Amino acid sequence: AKEEGRNCIRFYSNSINDRALARFTLEADLRKALDEDGLEVYYQPQVDLRTGKATGMEALVRWNHPQRGFISPSDFIPVAEEAGLIDGLSRWVMHTACAQARAWSQQGAGEVRMAVNLSARQFYAGNLAHVVADVLASTGLPSRLLEVELTEGMVMKDPKVTLDALEALKGMGVSIAVDDFGTGYSSLAYLKKYPLDVLKIDRSFVRDIATDPDDAAIARAIIVMAKSLGMVVIGEGVETEQQLAFLRENGCDQAQGYLMARPASAGDAEKYLRGHLLI
Ligand code: C2E
Ligand code: CA
Ligand code: CA
Ligand code: CA
């Protein structure tokens, strides 16, 4: 038994070393990817439910690792945050996405709002408005075509910093979306306190919207509330015609999900745009 215990301990500590090593390697690889153009931005359309046309695109970062293939942003964004790489990464995503939106509108593919996810760190860095102004100036994208997405957790963390950051963005003409709405443990008071433009209904509510009366009730209530507050509401993670029909019938403004289009490279997203935007 003692023998076994020792083996267990050795096995355990090895696996911790392995994990630390894996983490370290991932960090190094990510640093390299950032330096050497190893990341890509994909785009997923946000579709107007009345017209069926794409009015916006969400920028979603992709990392195609040379050995491991695609690694999910949910896995490498936290690594980037811990390794101090998130500022560079976020700035690169925002710049790339805004340059793309500008190019699409100049090339006649259509004028779309570009939605970019903010990391918590970026939001609290204190220079967000400066970075955003910089990106808009260097890409030439009109500020009304940029939307930033933040989560409820970020909004709730530090009211003073949040208000300053959001008012600065608002003052520049950038719009502000609350991502994954309904999943954070937060009071609703922030909805009237901050200048928010868009609510994105989290896909966990959308998933069973057509079959579960509770989810249907929650989604309906979110839509009614958003509309009464003068906000645009977007249903996320729409995968079926039934989900889409529910959202449309209940007054949701826009939808985003695999049913319309998966996130795609700039080239494929442009094809989608040209097919769904021009009248
Ligand atoms: P998110 O902001 O909630 O983005 C939506 C996620 O849902 C994306 O996953 C998208 O591919 C996925 N999705 C879209 N439609 C459907 C659908 O119909 N069904 C299902 N099951 N999934 C759908 P992705 O691209 O893997 O990104 C995961 C998360 O990583 C994002 O969640 C966001 O929090 C974060 N992320 C992605 N790109 C960035 C970025 O550039 N910066 C930051 N800070 N975070 C990012
Ligand atoms: Ca998002
Ligand atoms: Ca989301
Ligand atoms: Ca239920």
Side-chain angles (χ1 to χ4, degrees):
K2 204 170 174 197
E3 201 52 23
E4 209 176 273
R6 222 182 289 138
N7 280 342
C8 274
I9 287 167
R10 195 172 48 199
F11 177 73
Y12 184 52
S13 65
N14 272 352
S15 83
I16 287 179
N17 282 338
D18 287 351
R19 254 179 287 154
L21 184 65
R23 181 68 170 223
F24 183 75
T25 311
L26 199 63
E27 229 181 87
D29 290 349
L30 184 56
R31 194 165 273 127
K32 192 153 172 264
L34 263 169
D35 279 350
E36 297 172 4
D37 273 359
L39 300 180
E40 198 177 345
V41 179
Y42 269 36
Y43 302 93
Q44 187 179 36
Q46 299 175 330
V47 175
D48 186 295
L49 286 173
R50 278 167 300 266
T51 64
K53 295 184 195 313
T55 54
M57 286 277 183
E58 179 175 2
L60 295 158
V61 68
R62 291 289 177 268
W63 181 14
N64 192 355
H65 189 280
Q67 282 89 40
R68 301 195 202 179
F70 279 101
I71 300 179
S72 164
S74 315
D75 293 329
F76 72 82
I77 294 280
V79 174
E81 291 199 311
E82 272 177 43
L85 297 172
I86 193 71
D87 292 346
L89 189 153
S90 304
R91 196 185 287 238
W92 177 82
V93 170
M94 187 178 278
H95 187 276
T96 304
C98 289
Q100 188 60 67
R102 165 83 166 153
W104 279 331
S105 89
Q106 282 192 313
Q107 295 156 9
E111 205 169 68
V112 283
R113 204 169 17 89
M114 182 57 73
V116 177
N117 292 284
L118 293 183
S119 78
R121 211 188 121 134
Q122 193 181 13
F123 189 61
Y124 285 102
N127 65 344
L128 178 61
H130 186 82
V131 169
V132 169
D134 229 46
V135 167
L136 291 173
S138 65
T139 58
L141 186 74
S143 60
R144 71 189 155 77
L145 293 183
L146 176 61
E147 185 163 291
V148 294
E149 296 194 358
L150 33 119
T151 60
E152 292 182 288
M154 286 159 66
V155 175
M156 297 300 292
K157 209 170 117 191
D158 183 336
K160 173 78 175 98
V161 175
T162 299
L163 190 61
D164 288 350
L166 295 185
E167 281 182 341
L169 290 172
K170 247 350 247 185
M172 293 166 53
V174 171
S175 56
I176 299 159
V178 180
D179 205 355
D180 307 337
F181 183 75
T183 58
Y185 294 93
S186 50
S187 94
L188 292 174
Y190 76 88
L191 289 176
K192 63 169 192 186
K193 183 165 167 190
Y194 301 125
L196 306 167
D197 303 287
V198 177
L199 277 193
K200 298 187 75 176
I201 308 175
D202 189 68
R203 72 166 185 267
S204 60
F205 299 117
V206 172
R207 192 179 49 224
D208 299 323
I209 213 170
T211 49
D212 185 329
D214 297 337
D215 287 318
I218 290 171
R220 246 187 237 114
I222 294 175
I223 293 167
V224 168
M225 183 182 66
K227 307 303 301 169
S228 336
L229 291 167
M231 298 174 78
V232 167
V233 56
I234 303 180
E236 286 198 277
V238 176
E239 296 182 356
T240 69
E241 292 289 351
Q242 288 78 7
Q243 293 163 346
L244 189 68
F246 179 97
L247 290 171
R248 186 186 286 120
E249 282 156 19
N250 284 279
C252 186
D253 299 299
Q254 296 175 27
Q256 182 181 346
Y258 294 169
L259 180 67
M260 284 72 72
R262 290 189 175 246
S265 66
D268 287 340
E270 178 172 340
K271 283 184 203 138
Y272 184 92
L273 265 187
R274 290 192 183 271
H276 288 80
L277 192 81
L278 296 179
I279 305 147

